[in-house]
Amino acid sequence: MARAEETNDQLCAAYPVRGGDGPSSYAVNSVYQRGAVAAAKEFISKAIEEKLDMEILLSSKTFRIADLGCAVGPNSFFSAENIIEAVQLKYKSQGLNSQTLEFQVFFNDITANDFNKLFRSLPSNRQYYAAGVPGSFYGRLFPDASINLFHSAFAIPWMSQVPKAVMDRNGPAWNKGRIFYSDASDDVVSAYEAQNAEDMERFLHARAQEIVSGGLMVFFIPGRPDGTPHSHTLPNVIYQILGSCLMDLARKGVVDEEKVDSFNIPNYLMSSKELESAVERNGCFSIERRENLDNFFAHDTVYKNPQLLASQIRASLEGLFKQQFGDEILDELFELYGKKLEEQQSMVESGKAVVFLVVLRRTAN
Amino acid sequence: MARAEETNDQLCAAYPVRGGDGPSSYAVNSVYQRGAVAAAKEFISKAIEEKLDMEILLSSKTFRIADLGCAVGPNSFFSAENIIEAVQLKYKSQGLNSQTLEFQVFFNDITANDFNKLFRSLPSNRQYYAAGVPGSFYGRLFPDASINLFHSAFAIPWMSQVPKAVMDRNGPAWNKGRIFYSDASDDVVSAYEAQNAEDMERFLHARAQEIVSGGLMVFFIPGRPDGTPHSHTLPNVIYQILGSCLMDLARKGVVDEEKVDSFNIPNYLMSSKELESAVERNGCFSIERRENLDNFFAHDTVYKNPQLLASQIRASLEGLFKQQFGDEILDELFELYGKKLEEQQSMVESGKAVVFLVVLRRTAN
């Protein structure tokens, strides 16, 4: 009997994406992510057209899709629609009546996600049955062989937890004066690497059981370009600057320095090699397609607008920061952050970024 | 292609059960309902033991359960566990290894339900995969033939909407000076009857498509005892007294009388005949078992405690009242209600009540 895994869910639950409808809420600020999803619509369509087995389509009247790390929409709805459209097209192209096919979409995120908001904003004209699934995607979420297609956009870099070694005050990976791995000591970097490897192992192991044989997984994963150091990778640069703001506040006495030392953002950007070797180690999936979206971040105007960037980062991290430092420092912190991003804009703009677009197929077991 | 029905969901969404954790929240006050669920555990066990086809159990490794009108738990979790335990027992009794069977439980309620709270309180040691499904159960919620067992406890009396005729200011069923049908004119009663008949038709029609052939539905439905007038049925008495409190406040000028006239609680208690004829009209289900729990409400001590009763009714109706009358009258209204319930306790205690326990089976289509 499968037992829902809660450990990591509880850990992850500490870091919900910000719900609600306020000006710095995720839904308002996720426009830049939708840009990527729109750009990647063609990738989804082609993946399904070329890689989806007709056998899977014909084996059941219901096609089940799961989106992992859905947040509160609306990108997740947009992806679901793209996938369904492509599957229907494929079905029709075989001379079949796509009216007979039904879709069920499972929206997954950690338990602390604002599912109420997600549910309220489900498109009223949706052509699928919707369900919400709370829990960490590093554990089992679905019954055996019950999902036809997994999708995840921008969620996989979120780790199941801050590596334990980094939380050990007396160990070599104690991350004093920093909140992230990319500008930290080799010990910290190693701890993050190891955590990512372990997480990917658990992620792929769970999915391998949940997906039907021959089923596809379509992932959009922000990563680290080959040959680019951690500290020069664009999203990392942005976190590093945020860490330096916290240290400024610590020096001013606004924030307890101990709290900065013990705080770490559980996010890790894989290289293409790390991604490939995780898939190889798992052994249940073939890489059917891999593209790099090199210039996505570079073309995103948000990186040319420090104030907007600060408010987007606030939207995605506010829950995490509130828990560690309290509500009251947030305005000062993110005001300073906006200023620093402006001062260091050339550093931001020189940061290298890549989004891996991958299609994996479950091999026969 | 099925299209999720939203009309009734939006109507129903007006009346969410109260979320949160406060002293008058649903979770705190649902203890009396749990009493019924506990008393009915045996009913569930026997229904599954005697009526569940082994064929259904053997047709898939995943057994899918849906609870309709789950609110925020915990009764819903309790029911899910009872059902799973009984199914496992049945499986074992056939010499099969119940470890190979997986369970997926879909928790359904209207979109305005507090799913965040529901998800946070899911038992951490649950032996099933959980999903939340927002939407009115008077429309389609699940793909064709995808559910093995439906369960619903105490939710079916909630109608999809207040009957349109009752909302017509110039029609004969305008419910002036009242908020409920049971003490109203024949025209109002007829409008509620007709709405219930229509709702049951839609409810059973949707379930007939969603359930597997031979699948079971186990329902606990508070109803009206045969031969008891609407106005003497226990839950109705309680709503009638609440209506008289609102009219008292209208006379005092605290509440606009027009608002009382246009306000109606969308809840209807069927007789056993109405229930039976709804099932017959639908034609897709056989009634496999029907028991009446006659003395459930009579034994429930809440009916001997006017203050507790007032706070329970407040918990379940607060959303509805807030929307129509505003937040500010609630304390005064429910204080008066507690007093009136105390004054009219003999009337409350003389109210007749029944809970129908029914098991329906999907006949072959």
Side-chain angles (χ1 to χ4, degrees):
Chain A
M1 164 53 51
R3 211 167 259 275
E5 295 191 37
E6 280 297 298
T7 320
N8 280 282
D9 188 32
Q10 280 153 7
L11 288 159
C12 278
Y15 324 121
V17 156
R18 181 172 174 177
D21 294 293
S24 62
S25 74
Y26 176 85
V28 170
N29 281 302
S30 61
V31 177
Y32 83 103
Q33 291 192 8
R34 193 153 63 243
V37 175
K41 180 179 174 172
E42 205 187 311
F43 183 79
I44 290 183
S45 305
K46 278 210 171 161
I48 289 172
E49 184 190 335
E50 294 169 16
K51 300 294 180 183
L52 185 66
D53 285 343
M54 272 316 291
E55 219 174 288
I56 287 179
L57 267 181
L58 297 173
S59 66
S60 164
K61 270 184 60 189
T62 303
F63 192 89
R64 291 185 170 86
I65 298 161
D67 185 43
L68 305 170
C70 61
V72 294
N75 292 344
S76 192
F77 308 140
F78 193 57
S79 303
E81 278 159 32
N82 287 345
I83 293 165
I84 288 170
E85 205 177 288
V87 172
Q88 285 177 325
L89 216 61
K90 170 106 185 182
Y91 207 72
K92 277 185 213 160
S93 74
Q94 309 287 315
L96 297 163
N97 178 4
S98 72
Q99 299 291 313
T100 60
L101 199 57
E102 293 191 308
F103 294 89
Q104 188 171 31
V105 181
F106 294 92
F107 295 97
N108 156 259
D109 211 311
I110 56 172
T111 303
N113 184 50
D114 191 347
F115 281 95
N116 289 346
K117 183 173 168 59
L118 176 83
F119 287 167
R120 281 196 307 269
S121 43
L122 277 165
S124 58
N125 65 344
R126 64 188 182 274
Q127 304 216 354
Y128 53 84
Y129 298 104
V133 173
S136 163
F137 53 54
Y138 294 111
R140 284 290 299 273
L141 296 166
F142 303 99
D144 281 352
S146 65
I147 301 293
N148 298 95
L149 189 148
F150 277 106
H151 176 266
S152 184
F154 295 85
I156 292 177
W158 289 101
M159 303 197 295
S160 67
Q161 58 181 25
V162 173
K164 283 209 179 77
V166 176
M167 300 302 284
D168 176 6
R169 195 175 299 267
N170 301 311
W174 177 246
N175 198 12
K176 192 164 172 51
R178 295 195 172 76
I179 63 167
F180 204 50
Y181 71 99
S182 57
D183 55 347
S185 70
D186 289 350
D187 286 319
V188 175
V189 175
S190 298
Y192 267 75
E193 278 171 2
Q195 183 68 52
N196 172 69
E198 189 192 316
D199 282 348
M200 286 305 290
E201 195 175 319
R202 294 175 60 191
F203 178 83
L204 292 169
H205 180 69
R207 300 298 87 74
Q209 296 168 266
E210 295 165 348
I211 199 165
V212 299
S213 177
L216 297 183
M217 308 207 290
V218 182
F219 296 144
F220 299 79
I221 311 173
R224 177 164 65 95
D226 289 328
T228 301
H230 289 294
S231 58
H232 287 61
T233 306
L234 181 45
N236 298 354
V237 170
I238 286 165
Y239 289 146
Q240 288 161 202
I241 296 173
L242 185 53
S244 76
C245 293
L246 270 169
M247 281 306 287
D248 286 352
L249 294 191
R251 276 184 286 269
K252 280 177 65 183
V254 176
V255 164
D256 182 359
E257 194 171 331
E258 277 276 310
K259 286 200 170 169
V260 181
D261 297 344
S262 63
F263 178 77
N264 294 278
I265 299 178
N267 191 290
Y268 180 82
L269 295 182
M270 283 182 277
S271 66
S272 63
K273 279 219 180 67
E274 283 173 300
L275 175 58
E276 276 166 23
S277 73
V279 175
E280 267 168 40
R281 268 201 318 277
N282 168 268
C284 296
F285 296 93
S286 57
I287 299 180
E288 293 289 319
R289 188 182 281 265
R290 225 200 74 209
E291 286 179 22
N292 287 354
L293 213 58
D294 286 315
N295 48 7
F296 163 61
F297 289 114
H299 283 176
D300 197 320
T301 52
V302 72
Y303 293 100
K304 298 184 169 52
N305 185 337
Q307 297 312 320
L308 185 61
L309 182 55
S311 100
Q312 286 192 353
I313 298 294
R314 179 173 181 163
S316 82
L317 295 182
E318 189 162 272
L320 193 60
F321 277 75
K322 200 186 280 185
Q323 196 174 49
Q324 175 80 356
F325 302 105
D327 232 345
E328 58 283 1
I329 71 144
L330 294 180
D331 286 343
E332 187 173 354
L333 173 64
F334 284 95
E335 198 183 326
L336 177 62
Y337 188 40
K339 278 184 202 146
K340 276 222 176 185
L341 284 172
E342 200 161 342
E343 286 164 20
Q344 304 189 25
Q345 192 160 353
S346 63
M347 196 173 142
V348 171
E349 290 193 30
S350 71
K352 298 271 178 287
V354 65
V355 177
F356 303 128
L357 313 187
V358 288
V359 180
L360 305 182
R361 185 203 303 274
R362 178 67 165 104
T363 47
N365 40 1
Chain B
M1 163 54 51
R3 210 166 258 277
E5 294 191 36
E6 279 297 298
T7 321
N8 281 282
D9 188 31
Q10 279 154 7
L11 288 160
C12 277
Y15 324 122
V17 156
R18 181 171 175 178
D21 294 292
S24 62
S25 75
Y26 176 85
V28 170
N29 281 303
S30 61
V31 177
Y32 83 102
Q33 293 191 9
R34 193 152 64 243
V37 175
K41 180 177 175 173
E42 205 186 311
F43 183 79
I44 289 182
S45 305
K46 278 211 172 160
I48 289 171
E49 184 190 335
E50 294 169 17
K51 300 294 180 183
L52 185 66
D53 285 343
M54 274 314 293
E55 220 173 287
I56 288 179
L57 268 181
L58 297 174
S59 66
S60 164
K61 269 184 62 189
T62 303
F63 191 89
R64 292 186 170 86
I65 298 161
D67 185 42
L68 305 170
C70 61
V72 294
N75 292 343
S76 193
F77 308 140
F78 194 57
S79 304
E81 278 160 32
N82 287 344
I83 292 165
I84 289 169
E85 205 177 288
V87 171
Q88 286 176 324
L89 216 61
K90 169 106 184 181
Y91 207 70
K92 276 185 214 158
S93 73
Q94 309 287 315
L96 297 162
N97 178 3
S98 71
Q99 300 290 314
T100 61
L101 199 57
E102 292 190 310
F103 293 90
Q104 188 171 32
V105 181
F106 294 93
F107 295 97
N108 157 258
D109 212 311
I110 57 173
T111 304
N113 185 53
D114 191 347
F115 281 95
N116 288 346
K117 182 172 168 60
L118 177 83
F119 287 167
R120 281 197 307 270
S121 42
L122 277 165
S124 58
N125 64 344
R126 64 189 182 274
Q127 305 216 354
Y128 52 86
Y129 298 104
V133 173
S136 162
F137 53 53
Y138 293 112
R140 285 290 300 273
L141 297 166
F142 303 99
D144 282 351
S146 66
I147 301 293
N148 298 96
L149 189 148
F150 277 106
H151 176 268
S152 184
F154 295 85
I156 292 178
W158 288 101
M159 303 196 297
S160 66
Q161 58 181 31
V162 174
K164 283 209 180 78
V166 175
M167 300 302 285
D168 176 6
R169 196 174 298 267
N170 302 310
W174 178 245
N175 200 12
K176 191 163 173 53
R178 294 195 172 76
I179 64 167
F180 205 49
Y181 71 100
S182 58
D183 55 348
S185 72
D186 289 351
D187 287 319
V188 175
V189 175
S190 298
Y192 267 75
E193 277 170 3
Q195 183 68 52
N196 173 70
E198 189 192 316
D199 282 349
M200 287 305 291
E201 196 175 317
R202 295 174 59 191
F203 178 83
L204 292 169
H205 180 69
R207 300 299 86 73
Q209 296 168 266
E210 294 164 349
I211 199 166
V212 300
S213 177
L216 297 184
M217 307 208 289
V218 183
F219 295 145
F220 299 79
I221 311 172
R224 176 164 65 95
D226 289 328
T228 301
H230 288 294
S231 59
H232 286 62
T233 306
L234 180 45
N236 298 354
V237 170
I238 285 164
Y239 289 146
Q240 289 160 201
I241 295 173
L242 184 54
S244 76
C245 293
L246 271 168
M247 282 306 286
D248 287 352
L249 294 190
R251 275 186 287 270
K252 279 175 66 183
V254 176
V255 164
D256 182 357
E257 193 171 332
E258 277 275 311
K259 285 199 171 169
V260 182
D261 297 345
S262 64
F263 178 76
N264 295 278
I265 298 177
N267 190 292
Y268 181 81
L269 295 183
M270 283 182 276
S271 66
S272 63
K273 280 220 179 66
E274 284 174 299
L275 175 59
E276 276 166 22
S277 73
V279 175
E280 268 167 38
R281 269 200 317 278
N282 168 268
C284 296
F285 295 93
S286 57
I287 299 180
E288 293 290 318
R289 189 183 280 265
R290 225 201 74 210
E291 285 179 23
N292 288 354
L293 213 58
D294 286 316
N295 48 6
F296 162 60
F297 289 115
H299 282 177
D300 197 319
T301 52
V302 72
Y303 293 101
K304 297 183 170 52
N305 185 336
Q307 298 312 322
L308 184 61
L309 182 55
S311 101
Q312 286 193 353
I313 299 294
R314 178 173 182 164
S316 82
L317 295 181
E318 189 162 271
L320 193 61
F321 277 74
K322 200 186 279 185
Q323 197 175 48
Q324 175 81 356
F325 302 104
D327 232 346
E328 57 284 1
I329 70 144
L330 293 180
D331 286 343
E332 186 173 354
L333 173 63
F334 283 94
E335 197 183 328
L336 176 61
Y337 189 38
K339 278 185 201 144
K340 277 223 176 186
L341 284 172
E342 199 161 344
E343 286 164 20
Q344 304 189 27
Q345 192 161 355
S346 63
M347 197 172 140
V348 172
E349 290 194 28
S350 71
K352 298 272 177 287
V354 65
V355 177
F356 303 127
L357 313 187
V358 288
V359 180
L360 305 181
R361 185 204 303 274
R362 178 67 166 103
T363 48
N365 41 0

